[in-house]
Amino acid sequence: YERLASEHPHSEALAAASYNLGMARLARGNAAGARQAFYRSIDRTPVSPLAALSYWWVARSHLDEKEPDLALL
């Protein structure tokens, strides 16, 4: 991931890698780290199906942590 980020900082592959990193962090219970990766994915490709999924997971992670107000942002 780090190598991809340094060599191709604006690639769609990096957006996908960030999304996958977010899913892995979420699976390990690291919701804050997952949101960071999802936002990174959104920043790379803001108008894409992957961005929509990333936004969904950001909101879902807030709901799972009993933070419904943050899920609406």
Side-chain angles (χ1 to χ4, degrees), residues 14-73:
L14 182 56
S18 295
Y19 176 84
N20 290 337
L21 180 61
M23 292 303 293
R25 287 178 175 172
L26 203 56
R28 287 181 173 78
N30 181 358
R35 285 190 294 270
Q36 181 183 37
F38 290 135
Y39 280 127
R40 213 173 302 130
S41 177
I42 292 164
D43 288 343
R44 301 287 184 234
T45 55
V47 183
S48 72
L50 196 58
L53 282 172
S54 294
Y55 277 120
W56 189 89
W57 280 109
V58 166
R60 173 63 191 262
S61 70
H62 281 299
L63 291 174
D64 289 345
E65 291 194 319
K66 311 284 191 267
E67 301 169 333
D69 293 343
L70 294 175
L72 298 173
L73 298 177

